[in-house]
């Protein structure tokens, strides 16, 4: 088992002179500099749901492996029977699923067959039992017959040696069925990406505890941990940490020992209590990306003991949007998957908005009656809007005047993998 090489210390460095980074430029930089970090393992297909293939999965045998019958009826050679009524003698025996007929059916004879049975040698067509009259060891029916009717060809679904899924594909329940049907019993997989989550801030309290008037409950950590799990990664809860540099430093060190990537929320800007940024600065890998995105903007990126750190904004909506737009595709790459930006759908707006140029905006949105409506407040602290919504509306960097009926890009949570 070979461990992938570590990321370079300058993987988050921005070009000189960059002040505000457009979203597309930020994504292009991340795509070019990030790579897979997970080791691999072999597992039974039955244990592979939701896992990512480390190498292409190839069919071990064809599906179906033998020409077979799609219905209960009688197998014969179809070209022999033109227009008119035909009376054909039956061979003794039958072909059933798992109990094939082991001889060749002679010309001008038919054989009783059942659904799923191997199509006997000497036949190429199956006539439905409802379309024949059975009497005295013969069947009678009206021609002509369509050659190949009610019969499945060998390998008509999948041929042996065919690539079923490429490396980087995340396996679904249907995929496990296809792998099994083609004789693939084991697959080589990436181990799940381990993602540690840390919330920072003296103002935070746990939802199960009694909070003082100057505290708020920590919403980011449970939200991000759940999102990570839904995206197919392994969440690691590192807890919440106060605005104390030594405590946070110890927490980052523990997280780096347990995880492949670290997500933090809060303390990612350049204020007196932004200890996350300060600690990453000490490593010499810190890059404060001022991204032209709303909600969001400051994103502290760096390495802690060779483990990538994404310092997300503290406001819940900004934390979720930055995770979906910026961290999600990076985590996919690190987990061995392909880079992916959801395309979404162009749908008519059910709202009015005048947008200035300069930043890409994401609005909490949902579809109603074929149109997209947006949450009435754009405040990044209004976490209720995330639950109200089914997805996001993406507004481009350019200025826009949106009226009811204007096409807008809608990206559902499902498109993101949530």
């Amino acid at each position: 088992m070979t461990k992938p090489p570590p990321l370079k210390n300058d993987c988050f460095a921005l070009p000189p002179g960059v002040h505000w980074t457009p979203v597309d430029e930020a994504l292009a930089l991340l795509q070019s500099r990030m790579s897979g970090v997970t080791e691999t393992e072999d597992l039974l297909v039955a244990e592979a749901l939701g896992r990512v293939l480390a190498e292409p999965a190839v069919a071990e045998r064809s599906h179906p492996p033998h020409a077979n019958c799609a219905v209960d009826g009688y197998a014969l050679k179809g070209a022999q029977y033109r227009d008119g009524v035909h009376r054909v003698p039956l061979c003794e025996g039958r072909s059933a699923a798992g109990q094939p007929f082991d001889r060749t059916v002679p010309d001008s004879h038919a054989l009783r067959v059942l659904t799923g049975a191997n199509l006997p040698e000497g036949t190429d067509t199956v006539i439905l039992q409802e379309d024949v009259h059975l009497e005295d060891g013969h069947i009678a029916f009206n021609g002509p017959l369509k050659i190949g009717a009610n019969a499945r060809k060998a390998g008509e679904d999948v041929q042996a040696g065919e690539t079923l899924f490429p490396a980087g594909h995340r396996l679904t329940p249907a995929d496990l069925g296809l792998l099994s049907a083609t004789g693939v019993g084991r697959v080589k997989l990436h181990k799940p990406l381990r993602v540690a989550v840390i919330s920072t801030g003296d103002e935070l309290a746990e939802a199960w505890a009694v909070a003082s008037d100057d505290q708020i409950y920590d919403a980011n950590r449970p939200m991000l941990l759940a999102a990570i799990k839904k995206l197919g990664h392994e969440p690691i809860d590192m807890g919440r940490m106060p605005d104390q540099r030594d405590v946070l430093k110890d927490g980052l060190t523990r997280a780096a020992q347990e995880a492949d990537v670290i997500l933090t929320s809060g303390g990612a800007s350049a204020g007196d209590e932004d200890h996350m940024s300060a600690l990453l600065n000490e490593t010499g890998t810190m890059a404060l990306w001022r991204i032209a995105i709303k909600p969001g903007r400051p994103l502290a990126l760096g390495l802690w003991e060779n483990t990538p750190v994404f310092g997300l904004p503290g406001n819940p909506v900004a934390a979720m949007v930055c995770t979906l737009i910026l961290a999600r595709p990076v985590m996919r790459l690190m987990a061995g998957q392909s880079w992916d930006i959801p395309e979404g759908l162009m749908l008519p707006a059910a709202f009015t908005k005048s947008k200035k140029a300069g930043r890409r905006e994401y609005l909490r949105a949902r579809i109603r009656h074929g149109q997209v409506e947006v949450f009435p407040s754009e405040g990044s602290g209004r976490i209720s809007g995330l639950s109200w919504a089914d997805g996001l509306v993406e507004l481009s960097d350019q200025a826009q005047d949106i009226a009811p009926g204007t096409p807008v890009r809608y990206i559902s949570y499902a498109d993101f993998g949530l």
Side-chain angles (χ1 to χ4, degrees), residues 284-309:
T285 66
M286 163 68 177
L288 185 62
W289 287 26
R290 292 180 174 86
I291 299 173
I293 186 174
K294 179 182 177 181
R297 290 197 293 184
L299 191 67
L301 302 173
L303 296 177
W304 190 267
E305 297 188 355
N306 295 319
T307 302
V309 179

Side-chain angles (χ1 to χ4, degrees), residues 166-404:
H169 178 77
R170 186 180 175 194
L171 295 170
T172 69
D175 298 338
L176 303 192
L178 179 55
L179 290 166
S180 299
T182 54
V184 180
R186 300 186 70 89
V187 283
K188 189 174 184 180
L189 304 166
H190 288 279
K191 290 185 176 180
L193 184 75
R194 300 166 301 171
V195 184
V197 177
I198 299 172
S199 285
T200 69
D202 289 338
E203 75 279 12
L204 298 179
E206 299 288 357
W208 44 260
V210 176
S212 61
D213 289 343
D214 59 349
Q215 288 184 307
I216 58 173
Y217 291 119
D218 182 8
N220 287 353
R221 206 170 86 253
M223 176 178 68
L224 294 176
L225 288 167
I228 289 162
K229 184 175 182 179
K230 186 75 171 178
L231 293 172
H233 311 307
E234 180 184 333
I236 301 175
D237 186 359
M238 301 302 300
R240 59 184 178 85
M241 300 183 187
D243 290 319
Q244 298 175 23
R245 195 163 300 187
D246 289 344
V247 175
L248 184 54
K249 183 176 182 179
D250 290 342
L252 286 171
T253 299
R254 286 188 288 110
Q257 293 169 350
E258 297 184 32
D260 302 304
V261 61
I262 303 169
L263 299 187
T264 71
S265 62
S269 190
D272 293 343
E273 297 299 329
D274 288 320
H275 299 295
M276 180 60 61
S277 299
L279 285 168
L280 290 177
N281 266 320
E282 292 177 5
T283 69
T285 66
M286 163 68 177
L288 185 62
W289 287 26
R290 292 180 174 86
I291 299 173
I293 186 174
K294 179 182 177 181
R297 290 197 293 184
L299 191 67
L301 302 173
L303 296 177
W304 190 267
E305 297 188 355
N306 295 319
T307 302
V309 179
F310 281 75
L312 302 168
N315 283 325
V317 178
M320 178 59 91
V321 168
C322 287
T323 296
L324 294 179
I325 303 303
L326 299 165
R328 171 190 167 273
V330 172
M331 290 190 293
R332 282 179 58 94
L333 272 188
M334 296 177 69
Q337 294 178 269
S338 61
W339 184 266
D340 175 73
I341 304 297
E343 291 185 11
L345 298 171
M346 296 301 293
L347 296 171
F351 62 94
T352 300
K353 179 177 172 62
S354 181
K355 177 194 173 295
K356 297 179 180 179
R359 283 202 285 173
R360 184 161 305 178
E361 295 189 18
Y362 293 90
L363 311 178
R364 286 147 282 177
R366 64 187 185 185
I367 300 175
R368 292 295 183 271
H369 308 297
Q371 295 184 312
V372 183
E373 59 184 34
V374 297
F375 192 61
S377 170
E378 296 182 16
S380 58
R382 295 285 295 275
I383 192 171
S384 62
L386 290 172
S387 294
W388 174 92
D390 298 324
L392 302 174
V393 159
E394 179 186 73
L395 303 180
S396 67
D397 304 352
Q398 291 75 33
Q400 289 180 265
D401 287 313
I402 299 168

